[in-house]
Structure formats: structure tokens, C-alpha cells
Amino acid sequence: MSRISEYRRETILNAALAEFGTRGIEGASISEIAARAGIGKSTVYEYFTSKSELFLAVCKMKARQIMEEVCAVFAQDIPFASQLEHYVRMMLCLTQEVDMSQILRMVGNESLSELREMVEQLWTQMAAATERAVQQAQNAGELAADLDAPAAAAYFLSIPNPYFVYRMKMLGREDPARTLVELAMRGMQSAG
């Protein structure tokens, strides 16, 4: 693909992301996506045969961005608890933007398996990045040396919980994400 084609494809994907974010999956239209991208509707169809295919491409793009952000969070030269807090805030923000019922209505069975595969790949990559961060934290003495790194990584990845944040706000806690991280870290930190 030429540089111009790649640029146009990226422009379409960014326009689609904005349109899906504004109007939802069902409310978004190829015409509006094309207008946002500053191109004709037929040009969008040169790159994507349907709104469903375009949506899946947007999901793949967003998954790559999430993975890059997660790797960047866990690569920071800051204490592991701070890395974890950044991750929790990022994921809680992301979960507020996603309506899974719309996604499931939008994609057909064949697309659903492709979406499932993409999500599984994303989780595998996130687990590897988190496991490396756990091992580094163990080496730095921030986490217990005998901690099962793969299990701890899976646990840490699972802690962003919108209900917990809602409940902590109802209880008047100022920083629910920090409270969540403090609870997650308790018992896993090095005794020394």
C-alpha cells in the first residue's frame, strides 16, 4: 500500500472512530464518516466493503493503541504501584467509552469470532507486559519475591472495576483508583 493510501486509510479509521464515538455504532453512517474524513463515500468503500468491516478495523486500531499505552505504562521508571494506578485509571476511562451491547449487535457471527480473537490477542500481549512489570517489581523489592508472577499479572489486569469506583464515590472516597490499587497491592508487597 502506498504512503498516500496508508494515510487515507488511517484518516478513514480516525473519522470512523470519531463517528462511532459520537453517534454509536448503529447511528454512525458511511456518509458521515466520509464527510469527517474529507473524502467521498465511494472512497471509503474502496478501503472497507461495509460498516461492519470498518468497525472491526477501528477495533483493531484501538486495540493496538491500548496495547501501546499499556506497554508504555508498565515501562515507566516509577514504582510498580504508580504504574498500576496509571493502568487502572486508563482502563476505567476506556470502559466508560465502550458499549458492549452495541458492539455485539453490530458484528455478525463471523465478525464476532474475529473480534474475539483480536481481544484474546490483546489480553495475551497485556498479560506479557504486566508479567514483565511484576517481575521487575519483584527484582526491585517492591513485590514479594515468591509471588507467582503470571497469576499476579492476571490479577492486576483484572482490577479495574467500574462498580468499585462507583461505590467508593458513593462512600465519599476521593480517589477510588488509588484505593483499588492499595487494596490490590496489600499482601503482595515485599516485607523488606
Side-chain angles (χ1 to χ4, degrees):
M1 190 176 285
S2 73
R3 217 178 260 171
I4 293 172
S5 294
E6 190 63 38
Y7 174 77
R8 183 168 287 151
R9 185 178 192 283
E10 187 177 320
T11 301
I12 293 168
L13 289 172
N14 287 324
L17 179 62
E19 182 70 11
F20 289 136
T22 302
R23 290 193 166 63
I25 298 164
E26 292 173 356
S29 74
I30 296 295
S31 297
E32 287 299 317
I33 291 168
R36 281 180 186 264
I39 58 175
K41 182 177 174 179
S42 63
T43 304
V44 174
Y45 284 113
E46 289 176 24
Y47 290 85
F48 304 97
T49 60
S50 66
K51 185 166 75 166
S52 180
E53 182 184 330
L54 177 56
F55 176 72
L56 282 172
V58 167
C59 288
K60 287 178 183 178
M61 177 185 74
K62 194 65 179 166
R64 276 191 308 277
Q65 290 172 348
I66 291 168
M67 188 56 223
E68 289 169 6
E69 290 175 28
V70 168
C71 284
V73 163
F74 286 120
Q76 294 178 79
D77 190 19
I78 57 176
F80 180 76
S82 297
Q83 292 174 346
L84 191 58
E85 191 174 324
H86 287 246
Y87 164 75
V88 168
R89 290 181 195 288
M90 179 185 79
M91 294 306 285
L92 288 172
C93 182
L94 180 65
T95 59
Q96 292 174 351
E97 299 170 2
V98 176
D99 182 348
M100 288 306 292
S101 62
Q102 273 196 349
I103 291 171
L104 294 174
R105 282 194 308 270
M106 174 68 183
V107 298
N109 286 338
E110 66 283 346
S111 298
L112 192 57
S113 65
E114 188 177 340
L115 186 61
R116 183 179 300 115
E117 184 179 307
M118 179 188 59
V119 169
E120 287 172 4
Q121 183 179 18
L122 174 65
W123 279 110
T124 299
Q125 292 171 339
M126 288 173 59
T130 308
E131 188 175 332
R132 283 190 300 275
V134 167
Q135 290 167 341
Q136 288 173 348
Q138 286 176 302
N139 293 339
E142 296 176 71
L143 293 175
D146 62 347
L147 195 62
D148 179 346
Y155 172 70
F156 288 135
L157 283 173
S158 72
I159 64 172
N161 184 319
Y163 171 75
F164 181 88
V165 172
Y166 168 78
R167 187 68 186 139
M168 289 300 99
K169 286 181 180 178
M170 296 300 293
L171 293 172
R173 304 286 161 66
E174 289 184 31
D175 194 346
R178 179 166 290 142
T179 302
L180 188 58
V181 169
E182 288 170 357
L183 288 170
M185 293 291 293
R186 195 168 285 160
M188 293 195 193
Q189 293 172 317
S190 175

